[in-house]
Amino acid sequence: MAKKNQCSFCGAHKDDVDILVTGASGQICEMCIVRSKVLLERNGILPSDGDSIMDLDETESEEEINLLQPTEMKSHLDEYVIGQDEAKKRLCVAVYNHYKRLLTKGKDTYDVEIDKSNMLFVGRTGTGKTLMAKTIAKVLQVPFTIVDATVFTQAGYVGEDVESILSRLLQSCNYEVNKAEKGIVFIDEVDKIARKGNNPSITRDVSGEGVQQSLLKIIEGSEVNVPPEGGRKHPDQKYIKVNTHDILFICGGAFDGIEEIIRSRMKKQSIGFGSHSNKQIEGEEVLQYVSPQDVKRFGLIPELVGRLPVVTYLKPLNKEALKSILTEPKNSVIKQYQALFAMDDKELTFTEEALDFIVDKADENKLGARGLRGICEDIMIDLMYDAPKMKKKKILIDKEYAMSKIDH
């Protein structure tokens, strides 16, 4: 909620604006008044006075989308995400097509309406789904938010309304609606809202199929009344109208058990030319054959699957990939700890055997890249506690020390 001396819409403080108009339940600054006037003019509710729209466009100083070519975007992703080349390629192409569509919107060059390239990531926890979406938004310099699908319930039940997804996107760009309407939303744990059976529910499935139905209008593109602070809607609340037609939605989930659905489908199709061998079907990378049909059988309703036209997979991480993730990316876990110790004028190094031990533990726990941080935290906690007062400048972590902290 905006404070007493702040604009209720953009959050600007009274010292940073010329006028702050106070009402019964909030305040509004002069720039938000001007933006509201322009919005009314553009929708034909108020007659346009000619130059005002142009003046606003010049004063808004809206940041341009930093649209790179797919190959350039992938190069940026490679700096932060190890492997997953197929998923990166599909993400870069989908994002490029989406924002290319936005930048040519309103031009009469092509008499074709291009649909959104919403995506669905299927992959185990810790394989990089969230990191890829977050990194691509940072590269493009567009608003970005991550929401957890498990907190939503059907309207009228305990939990959050799906409209709060857009509240968080608005908050990420200081309630600038124009920017939010070109942002990216990552909906995590979307597999957890799968309906309980393969048939339409005859009873209330308020946190499963009910949520999927509510997501439809937001993902496909419509004007939505959004409560500024999120949470539940109520009749006396003020709303912000957001058009989701140009917001890119990326959904992700582990879809635990979908491999069996894929194998079952492929075995039925294994008769005839061009069929997949049993070795391929039983292999670890069966996710590479995932299709919208498999996602539908898992429990996502056909209408929602149809609004996620790009379906791709992320490979399970082997030990080699985990070790690369631990040490190579710009923001790798090891580099983060080294930077933290450098702030205390300490030089931190790890032996190869210690790194291999961390990787073995992460692989044993089956938590992917996310598990690496937890293991390192257990190993480093005592050193981080004592480091500021230590006289020793060089700190070496070997396998014996790591084992003593994990296997105690």
Side-chain angles (χ1 to χ4, degrees), residues 8-22:
S8 302
F9 291 86
C10 68
H13 194 270
K14 70 173 185 178
D15 295 337
D16 300 322
V17 298
D18 295 324
I19 300 171
L20 191 65
V21 180
T22 303

Side-chain angles (χ1 to χ4, degrees), residues 25-303:
S25 59
Q27 301 79 232
I28 184 169
C29 69
E30 78 275 7
M31 283 307 299
C32 287
I33 293 171
V34 174
R35 289 190 181 100
S36 300
K37 177 176 179 288
V38 171
L39 185 62
L40 293 171
E41 288 175 352
R42 288 175 175 170
N43 286 276
I45 299 171
L46 281 179
S48 173
D49 57 5
D51 294 333
S52 63
I53 294 180
M54 183 63 69
D55 291 342
L56 177 65
D57 288 341
E58 290 174 358
T59 57
E60 272 186 334
S61 67
E62 184 178 329
E63 294 182 9
E64 290 292 328
I65 296 169
N66 182 33
L67 184 60
L68 304 178
Q69 295 178 1
T71 52
E72 295 172 321
M73 280 190 270
K74 185 178 179 297
S75 296
H76 280 280
L77 285 174
D78 289 339
E79 294 178 2
Y80 295 92
V81 183
I82 297 297
Q84 311 297 3
D85 287 337
E86 182 65 24
K88 287 178 187 172
K89 189 184 298 183
R90 286 181 177 268
L91 174 62
C92 292
V93 170
V95 167
Y96 181 69
N97 287 340
H98 175 75
Y99 284 102
K100 186 167 59 174
R101 157 185 174 267
L102 260 62
L103 294 174
T104 58
K105 193 174 181 181
K107 299 179 181 179
D108 297 329
T109 311
Y110 308 100
D111 190 21
V112 177
E113 185 174 349
I114 302 173
D115 293 330
K116 284 201 292 183
S117 305
N118 295 323
M119 291 192 70
L120 175 63
F121 282 147
V122 178
R124 293 179 189 171
T125 183
T127 50
K129 301 184 291 294
T130 308
L131 181 58
M132 280 204 289
K134 187 188 296 185
T135 304
I136 207 76
K138 187 176 180 182
V139 169
L140 293 168
Q141 298 174 3
V142 296
F144 175 75
T145 190
I146 302 171
V147 295
D148 190 330
T150 59
V151 303
F152 302 118
T153 56
Q154 193 172 335
Y157 292 84
V158 175
E160 289 193 35
D161 286 330
V162 294
E163 286 83 1
S164 62
I165 290 173
L166 302 177
S167 301
R168 297 179 195 182
L169 186 63
L170 283 167
Q171 290 164 11
S172 73
C173 59
N174 202 21
Y175 290 92
E176 294 187 46
V177 177
N178 287 341
K179 287 185 179 180
E181 290 180 344
K182 297 180 180 65
I184 296 176
V185 174
F186 183 80
I187 305 176
D188 201 8
E189 305 283 7
V190 75
D191 56 314
K192 304 301 188 296
I193 59 169
R195 62 189 179 198
K196 305 303 182 282
N198 200 29
N199 297 316
S201 177
I202 58 173
T203 59
R204 287 289 185 185
D205 186 8
V206 297
S207 60
E209 185 176 346
V211 175
Q212 293 187 53
Q213 296 286 357
S214 300
L215 280 173
L216 290 178
K217 69 170 185 175
I218 291 180
I219 290 180
E220 71 176 334
S222 61
E223 287 199 343
V224 181
N225 289 323
V226 181
E229 303 302 327
R232 277 289 175 214
K233 287 184 174 182
H234 56 82
D236 298 326
Q237 196 172 19
K238 304 292 183 184
Y239 296 112
I240 298 175
K241 186 169 284 189
V242 177
N243 191 324
T244 66
H245 191 263
D246 294 331
I247 296 174
L248 183 66
F249 289 88
I250 302 173
C251 299
F255 288 86
D256 189 29
I258 199 171
E259 291 93 344
E260 293 307 314
I261 294 173
I262 298 170
R263 290 189 182 101
S264 174
R265 171 178 58 82
M266 292 176 66
K267 283 178 180 177
K268 290 177 183 176
Q269 298 174 351
S270 62
I271 300 173
F273 296 104
S275 61
H276 302 284
S277 68
N278 285 334
K279 185 178 179 181
Q280 286 178 306
I281 294 171
E282 297 300 328
E284 272 193 4
E285 294 184 11
V286 70
L287 277 180
Q288 65 184 295
Y289 305 113
V290 68
S291 72
Q293 177 185 347
D294 302 317
V295 177
K296 178 185 166 187
R297 284 190 61 196
F298 186 88
L300 294 194
I301 61 175
E303 297 91 336

